[in-house]
Amino acid sequence: MDDGGHSGFGQGRGGNEGMSGAPMWQIKRKMAQYEAQRETLVQELIRENEEKKVPAEAPNVLVDAIASGLDGKTKPLVRHVLVKDLNRVAQMKGIEFPTTDIFQGKAPMGLYALFDGQSCIGTPGPVAAEYCARNLHVKVMENLVMLKQGSGTEPFIKAAIIKSFHDLDADYLAQKPEVQDGCGAAMALFIGGHIFVATLGRCTAVLAEAPQDGGRPRPHALVGGGQPQATAVAGSLGEPARKSGAGGAATLSCTPEVHGVALQHCREHPFLILGSSTMAAVLDAAKLVDFATDFSIQPRFACGELLARGLEAHAAAAATASATPQLVVAQVSFLPPKEKAPEKSTGSEPAAKKAKPGSKDGRKSMRFRHILIRTQDAPGAKQLSASAKSKAKPRAEAEGLLREALKELTKDLRVATKAPKTPNDLVVFQGKKFSELCRKLSDCPTAQKGGAMCGDLGWVNTEELSAMGGNFREKAESLTAGQWGDVCSSDQGVHLVQRVA
C-alpha cells in the first residue's frame, strides 16, 4: 500500500475500473461497438463474396457471322470470332475486370472480331488471321484487367485496345518469325451501354444510326460515316519484313483506329456491321447499312444478304479479278432493354389465370408456324425423306431460299395502304402469301395442312422447343407475337419461323 492506504490496482475507485482507468461500463460499451462493427464488416465481406458468385448478364444482343469462298480443302484467309459473353470467359480463367465507371454494376461484355489475310501488302496467307482469331480476346482481357479502379473510362479502354493489338502483333512476330503472313482486322468490344470499335488495314466497321427526322438508318458519323474506303494497306498484324523496314520497304503499323460510342436505344442504334476488306472493296458503308436494314433483329439473314450482294459485285468484276476472293461479314443487333422479372408472389395476389388454350400441363406455351428446308448437315434430315419435296440442300442454299421467302412476306407489308394494327392482324395479312411459300418450299408435313393451318406447329412449350435440336429454342422462344425470327436450325434443317400467338 501507498501512504494513502490504496493498493494501486483499483486506482482508488473501488475495483470497477480497468487497467486503463476507464470504468468497466465504458469498456463493455466499446467492446459491444467493436463487436457490432466487426459483424458489419463480416457481413459486408460475405455479401461481396456472394455478389462475385452471381454471374454478370450476357450482352442483350443477337450476333452472327458468315464467310464465303471457303473450299474446305485449304485453310481460310478470313476468320471470325464471336465471344458472346466475355465475363463468363473471364470467370472461367479467374480474371476480374474493374467494377467502376463503364464497368459499373457488372456491365455485360462481349467481343466480336474478324481477321482478313487478304488485307496485307504481301501474298495473302492464312496463318496470321488464324493466330489472331485465337488470341485477340485473351490480349484484350489481359489489358482490361490492368486498368485500375477509377480508370474504366473511354480513353483508358481505347488505350487498352490499342495495347492489345500491339501485344498480339509482338507475340505473333516472336513466335512465327519465319512466316510472312499478315492480316487486317475489325473488332467491336461491347461493355455495358458502350461499344468500342477498332479497325486495321482495309477491313471495315459500320454502326447504323437512325436519323432524328425519321427514315432509314445511315452510317454513324464516327464509325463508318464519312470514312473513305482505304485503297492501300496502312497497317496490319504480322508481315515482319515490313515492320522492320528492311530493304527500304515502307514500315507498317499495327495500331488500329479506335472509336467509342455510348449506345442509345436500339431505335437509334439498331446494329453494327463488321466486314472484311473484300466486302469493303465492293460495298461502301451506306450500302452495308441499307441492305442490312431490311432484316431487323435478324443478323443471320442480314449477313446472308450482305454476303450475297458482295458476291454479286465481285462476280460483276470477275473479268479483271485473278481469283475468287474470300468474304466474311458479321452483324451485332442491339435489342430493347429486357423487362424486369416480376417480383415473387406474397400470397395476397389473386389466383393465376387459367392456361391458354393449347398450353400443356399449365406450362408456358407459344404457337408458331414455319417453313422447313432440310440441309445436308442436319443430323435428322433423313427422317423426313418420305415427305420431303426434294433432296437435302447445302445450308447456304437453304438459308438463301428462306431469306428470299422472308423478302416476299415483308414486301407486301411495306407497300400496304393500311398497315396491320395488331400481331393477329399481321398474321392474317401475311397468311395467304405464307401458305403459298410454305407449300412451295417446306419439307415439313405441316405444309400439307389446309388454309390457315398450313405450316402450323401448334402450341409448344419450352421443352418441346428444346427437343427440336439446334438453336431452335434459343431463336424461337424470344419472339413476340407476329414477329418473324432469324434463321433457326434444328435436327432436320433450317427454318423460317413466325410466332402466331
Side-chain angles (χ1 to χ4, degrees):
M1 291 188 179
D2 58 16
D3 294 339
H6 300 299
S7 65
F9 291 101
Q11 297 187 10
R13 291 294 182 181
N16 287 325
E17 299 80 15
M19 294 296 292
S20 64
M24 289 300 297
W25 64 270
Q26 288 185 355
I27 295 174
K28 289 179 179 180
R29 185 174 66 179
K30 288 183 179 180
M31 288 296 294
Q33 291 174 347
Y34 167 77
E35 289 295 329
Q37 291 173 354
R38 188 174 71 88
E39 181 63 23
T40 300
L41 180 60
V42 169
Q43 292 301 321
E44 287 180 355
L45 291 173
I46 293 174
R47 178 178 55 79
E48 289 178 3
N49 189 49
E50 291 299 319
E51 286 180 354
K52 287 182 180 180
K53 294 180 181 179
V54 178
E57 290 187 1
N60 191 27
V61 303
L62 293 177
V63 58
D64 216 322
I66 304 179
S68 74
L70 314 183
D71 57 15
K73 300 177 182 178
T74 58
K75 285 190 174 183
L77 301 174
V78 292
R79 296 275 185 169
H80 65 269
V81 56
L82 307 176
V83 184
K84 297 182 179 181
D85 190 347
L86 196 62
N87 279 308
R88 183 177 180 183
V89 176
Q91 188 178 39
M92 292 170 61
K93 293 182 175 293
I95 293 174
E96 293 185 11
F97 292 124
T99 57
T100 60
D101 303 305
I102 291 176
F103 296 91
Q104 185 84 27
K106 288 190 176 182
M109 296 177 64
L111 186 148
Y112 326 103
L114 57 83
F115 304 91
D116 183 3
Q118 301 155 116
S119 177
C120 62
I121 293 179
T123 302
V127 181
E130 180 182 14
Y131 180 89
C132 294
R134 291 179 181 275
N135 294 283
L136 176 63
H137 71 286
V138 177
K139 295 301 177 186
V140 171
M141 288 193 297
E142 290 175 353
N143 282 288
L144 291 179
V145 167
M146 297 301 291
L147 296 178
K148 297 180 180 179
Q149 298 294 347
S151 299
T153 57
E154 183 175 315
F156 285 101
I157 294 174
K158 287 181 180 180
I161 292 172
I162 292 173
K163 188 174 184 301
S164 299
F165 274 71
H166 290 174
D167 293 347
L168 184 67
D169 188 63
D171 284 1
Y172 175 76
L173 296 178
Q175 294 180 29
K176 302 181 182 294
E178 76 288 351
V179 180
Q180 296 302 309
D181 286 2
C183 70
M187 186 207 78
L189 175 64
F190 182 99
I191 308 178
H194 292 73
I195 193 80
F196 294 88
V197 179
T199 54
L200 183 66
R202 291 193 297 255
C203 295
T204 188
V206 188
L207 176 64
E209 183 176 50
Q212 294 182 353
D213 56 354
R216 292 172 69 84
R218 59 195 179 195
H220 187 276
L222 288 178
V223 185
Q227 297 178 11
Q229 170 59 37
T231 56
V233 177
S236 73
L237 294 161
E239 297 200 78
R242 292 172 174 81
K243 291 290 171 60
S244 61
T251 58
L252 286 176
S253 170
C254 63
T255 301
E257 181 177 352
V258 184
H259 295 284
V261 177
L263 294 171
Q264 304 301 315
H265 191 277
C266 61
R267 288 189 298 267
E268 285 74 37
H269 292 143
F271 58 84
L272 172 79
I273 297 171
L274 304 177
S276 60
S277 65
T278 46
M279 286 293 297
V282 293
L283 298 177
D284 61 23
K287 288 180 179 178
L288 288 171
V289 170
D290 190 56
F291 292 148
T293 296
D294 293 332
F295 300 93
S296 175
I297 319 181
Q298 297 163 323
R300 186 81 184 177
F301 278 132
C303 288
E305 179 70 9
L306 293 174
L307 211 62
R309 300 276 188 164
L311 289 171
E312 288 176 4
H314 277 289
T320 58
S322 58
T324 302
Q326 296 182 13
L327 291 76
V328 62
V329 61
Q331 191 202 57
V332 185
S333 293
F334 305 110
L335 302 178
K338 293 181 179 178
E339 295 182 2
K340 292 184 178 180
E343 296 182 0
K344 294 183 179 180
S345 173
T346 59
S348 59
E349 290 83 356
K353 295 181 180 180
K354 293 183 179 180
K356 292 182 179 180
S359 63
K360 301 177 181 182
D361 302 326
R363 292 173 292 182
K364 179 183 178 182
S365 60
M366 296 161 279
R367 190 172 183 178
F368 300 95
R369 62 184 181 188
H370 78 137
I371 295 173
L372 162 67
I373 298 180
R374 293 184 307 141
T375 56
Q376 295 171 349
D377 60 348
K382 294 181 180 179
Q383 298 175 5
L384 292 172
S385 58
S387 58
K389 294 181 174 62
S390 60
K391 294 182 180 180
K393 295 178 173 58
R395 184 176 177 118
E397 180 184 347
E399 290 188 10
L401 291 171
L402 293 181
R403 189 172 66 250
E404 292 303 316
L406 182 59
K407 286 182 183 179
E408 286 291 315
L409 288 162
T410 55
K411 179 176 65 176
D412 293 342
L413 186 63
R414 286 197 295 269
V415 298
T417 56
K418 186 177 181 181
K421 294 183 178 180
T422 67
N424 186 63
D425 290 343
L426 177 61
V427 171
V428 173
F429 178 85
Q430 296 178 323
K432 182 179 179 181
K433 176 66 73 174
F434 172 80
S435 296
E436 293 174 359
L437 293 168
C438 186
R439 292 191 182 96
K440 177 183 177 182
L441 299 172
S442 185
D443 289 323
C444 181
T446 58
Q448 307 307 315
K449 294 181 179 180
M453 298 301 292
C454 183
D456 188 78
L457 285 173
W459 292 90
V460 292
N461 57 43
T462 53
E463 291 182 4
E464 291 167 323
L465 290 175
S466 296
M468 298 283 285
N471 63 10
F472 196 93
R473 174 178 174 177
E474 176 189 350
K475 294 292 184 73
E477 72 174 342
S478 61
L479 298 178
T480 58
Q483 184 182 4
W484 290 99
D486 202 2
V487 180
C488 296
S489 63
S490 73
D491 289 341
Q492 283 72 45
V494 291
H495 307 249
L496 173 60
V497 179
Q498 182 185 35
R499 181 172 173 181
V500 177

